[in-house]
Amino acid sequence: VDSPLSSSSASSDVYKRQEGYIPRTDPQPRPDSAVCDTPGGCERWNFDATPPVRDFVDYYMPPFKAAVQRARARSIMCSYNAAFGQPTCSSHELNGGLVREEWGFEGFFVSDCTALELMQNVKWDNCQPPYPSQGGSCTPDPFPGGHNYTFSVGATVHAALVQGGIDYNCGPLYKTN
């Protein structure tokens, strides 16, 4: 069941951040499902959140829903991690179905920096202009420990733009290709 304090804090926080003020919020106790059990160790870029559906719906989603509906958030950043086996930046079910269609979000989605590249286990951070999209050339650096979800630049861009509905990429992927 939603804690009214969690939803109020989330919507107040989003509203005030959009107005330039960052308030202090108190953390809520986490349910038992909030544990990391990722093979090879948990890092923010490879964690796969798979809480029981009831925890997901009753505990994790209400503050986000309040931020979207009450505070009218204008942007949402998808994260490095996965949820239910799929990188969050490629999830139409979460980004398009739940947030845009069910909750009525009208803003834009932006990726966390390099979150898209980690779908393919690479990083484009060391590429310099001119980028491949500008006639230059660059090969991404391997980054073991990502999601191993896509296997080409085209598949990664498709997963983010088409599946996930990600409008902007904080990292270099969109400008490099």
Side-chain angles (χ1 to χ4, degrees), residues 38-82:
T38 299
C42 278
E43 300 291 346
R44 64 183 180 175
W45 57 83
N46 70 355
F47 179 66
D48 184 9
T50 56
V53 174
R54 183 173 177 153
D55 286 354
F56 182 73
V57 171
D58 292 344
Y59 180 81
Y60 293 105
M61 289 296 97
F64 289 101
K65 183 177 181 180
V68 167
Q69 293 182 335
R70 292 186 206 165
R72 311 287 299 156
R74 291 174 243 171
S75 66
I76 293 175
M77 179 177 275
C78 65
S79 59
Y80 292 111
N81 66 288

Side-chain angles (χ1 to χ4, degrees), residues 78-79 81 85-96 100 109-111 115-121 147-169 173-174:
C78 65
S79 59
N81 66 288
Q86 183 176 12
T88 61
C89 293
S90 68
S91 177
H92 174 74
E93 184 177 60
L94 291 177
N95 303 336
R100 286 195 192 275
F109 275 93
V110 64
S111 73
L116 304 186
E117 293 87 334
L118 295 178
M119 285 189 228
Q120 190 186 340
N121 289 357
H147 295 290
N148 208 30
Y149 182 74
T150 59
F151 302 99
S152 71
V153 171
T156 302
V157 171
H158 182 270
L161 286 171
V162 178
Q163 289 174 220
I166 306 305
D167 303 298
Y168 300 100
N169 176 23
L173 181 67
Y174 287 178

